[in-house]
Amino acid sequence: MTARTSDIDKAAGVLRGGGLVAFPTETVYGLGANAEDPAAVARIFQAKGRPPSHPLIVHIGGAGLLGDWVQEVPATARLLAQHFWPGPLTLVLRRSHRVPLEATGGLETVAVRVPEHPVALALLAAFGGGVTAPSANRFGSVSPTTADHVRAELGDAVDFVLDGGSCEVGVESTIVDVTGEIPSLLRPGGVTREDLEAVLGRPIALDAASPVRVPGQHPSHYAPRARVVLVEPEKVAAEAERAQDAGHTVGVFLPPALAGTPVKAHAVVALPASMAAYARGLYGFLRELDQQGCDLIVASLPAEEELGLAIANRLRRAAGPRPSA
Ligand code: TXA
Ligand code: MG
């Protein structure tokens, strides 16, 4: 889906005026501001309720512009950009002075990516600068994959919402730190580890630590309102029944291998067999079970290969301990 030219121009004008624009990317919707305007960047943190120490991704219109935003472009970064941009890959590099510290949470590094969505690229071209954008959701909750998700969650906190239909990839970009000798995978996402390794010609380790150590940050993230419980795939039906009998309003992510199995629960999402379709639908499924009033979601992890690695990462974080408020 493409946006009208008048909408793109209006959105670019809002960015120039220091406002916030929600826009589609191929991964999820972003909440964008002019990356070079510290006051506009500060509004993003306010709108999301996100701690200001949590760094943002700068979106640029083409790989050729990377040099403006970073001190140097190491050979590995160039190689990865050449293969995967535009696309769901974010590279962490040393920031140039063009990037204000407000956008990096005070870090000397900056995360940069060229999104693949035609509306995002049209916006970046019309605006002409870099757009710093986290996912357009409240901090810690499920990322939006449609314009309606954004409106429902952020409403008036956004000055303009560009509607580009639903996001094709459905999970966020893969983040690779290329500041050191050896690249490291900070967040699995739309570009698979296998694809990265094929291009790099070497294995790439998944950094067990969180990308950035934010003091007091809670492990729960990408979380719906309902609590998420992860069990072995073959135990999904039994666990759902147990919880439903115990008085919960249970939602179930039913693995494809169990398709057709009767499940005692309030709502059942029959998961697609294709990992691409699962990734595309993941956040929508979580939102749907919330909307149906579920207070508990029973799910299992897919095999942690290809896109399954990113899906499992999000499910683990969604199931992480919550603040005991
Ligand atoms: O697909 C995506 O990446 C989406 C779309 C909108 O582009 N954006 C997104 O942004 O997921 P956000 O803010 O929800 O996640 C950005 C991640 C955070 O986990 C942050 O810690 C990490 O990027 N990050 C940003 N700058 C970093 C840096 N300098 N070093 C390490 N990690 C960084
Ligand atoms: Mg996010």
Side-chain angles (χ1 to χ4, degrees):
M1 184 166 151
T2 51
R4 289 201 308 266
T5 314
S6 57
D7 281 345
I8 298 284
D9 290 343
K10 184 168 173 202
V14 169
L15 291 176
R16 273 183 218 110
L20 300 185
V21 172
F23 64 99
T25 81
E26 76 282 24
T27 58
V28 300
Y29 273 73
L31 179 63
N34 177 358
E36 292 172 90
D37 179 344
V41 173
R43 290 190 58 207
I44 292 181
F45 291 97
Q46 263 167 27
K48 277 189 65 104
R50 170 155 158 160
S53 55
H54 207 115
L56 304 173
I57 295 173
V58 176
H59 297 71
I60 59 174
L65 302 169
L66 179 59
D68 295 350
W69 300 92
V70 303
Q71 278 177 27
E72 52 164 355
V73 182
T76 310
R78 188 158 316 177
L79 179 72
L80 293 176
Q82 204 180 359
H83 273 85
F84 298 109
W85 282 357
L89 177 70
T90 295
L91 297 174
V92 173
L93 292 148
R94 290 185 206 292
R95 75 175 175 102
S96 76
H97 291 302
R98 192 161 178 187
V99 183
L101 286 169
E102 283 80 359
T104 69
L107 297 173
E108 287 305 326
T109 54
V110 61
V112 185
R113 89 175 186 100
V114 180
E116 197 171 16
H117 198 290
V119 174
L121 288 171
L123 176 64
L124 289 165
F127 174 58
V131 173
T132 193
S135 48
N137 51 279
R138 304 276 311 162
F139 182 64
S141 86
V142 177
S143 298
T145 50
T146 68
D148 280 344
H149 294 165
V150 178
R151 291 189 197 102
E153 194 158 333
L154 292 178
D156 291 346
V158 193
D159 298 306
F160 192 62
V161 180
L162 265 178
D163 192 341
S166 39
C167 302
E168 186 62 28
V169 177
V171 291
E172 297 82 353
S173 61
T174 302
I175 305 180
V176 177
D177 182 340
V178 281
T179 55
E181 285 282 292
I182 302 170
S184 80
L185 180 54
L186 300 184
R187 176 177 75 183
V191 167
T192 66
R193 167 153 72 174
E194 290 81 353
D195 286 344
L196 288 170
E197 290 178 340
V199 167
L200 292 169
R202 59 176 301 158
I204 181 166
L206 178 56
D207 202 329
S210 129
V212 190
R213 286 133 204 101
V214 183
Q217 197 201 334
H218 228 269
S220 151
H221 213 94
Y222 310 108
R225 268 198 318 276
R227 199 157 63 80
V228 178
V229 172
L230 299 174
V231 298
E232 295 301 317
E234 63 278 8
K235 298 197 177 129
V236 164
E239 177 60 21
E241 176 165 356
R242 195 199 57 73
Q244 187 77 21
D245 285 345
H248 283 288
T249 306
V250 177
V252 178
F253 271 21
L254 193 66
L258 301 184
T261 310
V263 185
K264 186 174 176 191
H266 177 69
V268 177
V269 173
L271 294 176
S274 124
M275 283 297 124
Y278 189 174
R280 195 177 304 128
L282 175 65
Y283 292 137
F285 300 153
L286 291 172
R287 281 174 190 273
E288 194 178 305
L289 292 179
D290 264 350
Q291 254 160 29
Q292 296 201 33
C294 298
D295 65 6
L296 190 86
I297 296 173
V298 179
S300 60
L301 297 177
E304 293 185 61
E305 56 193 30
E306 304 285 349
L307 275 175
L309 186 65
I311 296 169
N313 171 273
R314 305 306 188 269
L315 286 173
R316 279 212 178 85
R317 303 280 307 267
R322 306 280 173 91
S324 49

